[in-house]
């Protein structure tokens, strides 16, 4: 299983940047996890978008879905060009709520919507996928994803505050992609559905994850500062997200 970081910034992309999106490739599946602002531009460095097998969306905040509309439009044009079968819409797996957002996911012949909830279990090619609702504020669901393939486990933590119960979901992760929205110096006094870099590292350490990829970062954070803060609280391998970073499990 290979993960490519297509976007990792939040709440908006910096120069030549992109907000969250991750390409996961196995022998028989090419999956896009979230589709933020600028993600399609980076995806095209690695593969044509019409060869994707599925899109999975954690939740409907703009930083995670900004490029979905242009993905739909692009797929439709590639169907007209003959690059993709018009009878094969791209499956989009995403929360059912809020309705106003979910209703926009079916698009002509280009995309088909399949609602997910915490009990949903998917198999796409050689990847088994489970979902966990995270502590992310406003009442609408946000789902983390656990992807297992050929004995390797990738957990994508989506957006999450400290109230998420990861026990039994992320413990055996070979790689935990976890948000570290704040540095200790930028962390607000009250919790707001996000983690700091330190909290992400402590979480991964406590769960015994083999490696951690810190993501969901403000674009002006210096990579060395994020790495220093994370590695002080985690003994396993700690990566800091950057555009185009590839990790193989
Ligand atoms: Zn969010
Ligand atoms: Zn976000």
């Amino acid at each position: 299983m290979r993960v490519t970081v297509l976007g990792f910034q939040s709440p908006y992309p910096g120069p030549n940047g992109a907000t969250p999106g991750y390409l996961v490739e196995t022998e028989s599946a090419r999956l896009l996890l979230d589709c933020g602002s600028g993600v399609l531009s980076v995806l095209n460095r690695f593969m044509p978008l019409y060869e994707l097998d599925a899109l999975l969306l954690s939740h409907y905040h703009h930083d995670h879905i900004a490029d979905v509309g242009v993905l739909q439009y692009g797929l439709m044009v590639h169907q007209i060009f003959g690059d993709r079968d018009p009878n094969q819409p791209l499956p989009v797996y995403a929360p059912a709520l809020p309705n106003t957002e979910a209703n926009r996911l079916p698009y002509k012949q280009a995309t088909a919507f399949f609602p997910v909830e915490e009990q949903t279990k998917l198999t796409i090619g050689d990847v088994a996928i489970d979902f966990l609702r995270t502590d992310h504020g406003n009442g609408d669901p946000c789902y983390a994803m656990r992807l297992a393939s050929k004995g390797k486990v990738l957990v994508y933590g989506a957006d999450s505050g400290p109230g998420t119960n990861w026990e039994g979901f992320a413990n055996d992760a070979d790689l935990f992609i976890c948000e570290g929205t704040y540095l200790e110096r930028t962390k607000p006094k009250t919790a707001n559905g996000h983690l700091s870099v330190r909290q992400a590292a402590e979480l991964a350490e406590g769960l015994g994850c083999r490696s951690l990829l810190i993501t969901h970062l403000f674009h002006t954070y210096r990579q060395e500062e994020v790495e220093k803060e994370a590695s002080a609280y985690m003994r396993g391998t700690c990566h800091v997200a950057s555009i185009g970073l590839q990790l193989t499990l």
Side-chain angles (χ1 to χ4, degrees):
M1 190 155 38
R2 184 173 68 180
V3 188
T4 304
V5 177
L6 305 179
F8 68 96
Q9 295 161 339
S10 182
Y12 62 93
N16 298 312
T19 67
Y22 308 88
L23 174 63
V24 176
E25 297 169 282
T26 66
E27 272 175 31
S28 62
R30 296 170 116 179
L31 313 176
L32 179 58
L33 313 184
D34 282 341
C35 190
S37 176
V39 162
L40 289 194
S41 169
V42 184
L43 176 68
N44 278 292
R45 294 186 205 171
F46 298 97
M47 63 173 286
L49 62 86
Y50 55 81
E51 289 183 0
L52 284 171
D53 293 306
L55 167 64
L56 295 99
L57 299 176
S58 61
H59 66 309
Y60 293 104
H61 287 165
H62 293 289
D63 52 330
H64 297 254
I65 61 162
D67 270 8
V68 172
V70 285
L71 173 63
Q72 292 170 317
Y73 188 27
L75 286 166
M76 186 196 79
V77 170
H78 280 295
Q79 287 175 328
I80 293 168
F81 286 175
D83 299 317
R84 190 178 176 97
D85 186 344
N87 297 312
Q88 278 197 328
L90 180 74
V92 182
Y93 300 94
L97 296 174
N99 287 323
T100 46
E101 298 291 347
N103 290 343
R104 283 143 55 119
L105 295 181
Y107 178 75
K108 302 182 189 289
Q109 303 296 312
T111 52
F113 170 51
F114 299 90
V116 302
E117 51 188 13
E118 205 166 40
Q119 293 73 31
T120 302
K121 292 185 183 306
L122 295 177
T123 303
I124 305 173
D126 54 4
V127 187
I129 307 168
D130 292 282
F131 298 87
L132 175 75
R133 184 165 178 163
T134 67
D135 159 35
H136 190 43
N138 65 8
D140 292 322
C142 174
Y143 294 112
M145 303 165 200
R146 180 181 186 279
L147 290 79
S149 181
K150 304 252 166 74
K152 296 292 183 181
V153 174
L154 163 70
V155 172
Y156 170 45
D159 282 3
S160 168
T164 306
N165 180 13
W166 298 101
E167 282 297 329
F169 191 83
N171 312 63
D172 53 353
D174 293 284
L175 177 65
F176 186 15
I177 303 176
C178 188
E179 70 141 279
T181 300
Y182 304 112
L183 293 163
E184 283 300 294
R185 65 177 169 83
T186 63
K187 192 176 161 191
K189 286 194 173 60
T190 51
N192 70 346
H194 290 288
L195 297 171
S196 69
V197 170
R198 173 180 172 168
Q199 286 174 311
E202 288 175 336
L203 183 59
E205 175 70 19
L207 289 164
C209 300
R210 282 176 197 84
S211 62
L212 168 68
L213 172 61
I214 298 265
T215 191
H216 207 268
L217 303 166
F218 196 69
H219 72 88
T220 59
Y221 289 174
R222 281 174 44 251
Q223 189 143 9
E224 310 79 67
E225 187 176 12
V226 175
E227 194 164 10
K228 191 176 169 197
E229 189 164 310
S231 55
Y233 300 98
M234 165 138 186
R235 281 172 295 180
T237 308
C238 185
H239 308 275
V240 180
S242 59
I243 301 285
L245 175 68
Q246 291 191 311
L247 300 171
T248 301
L249 314 189

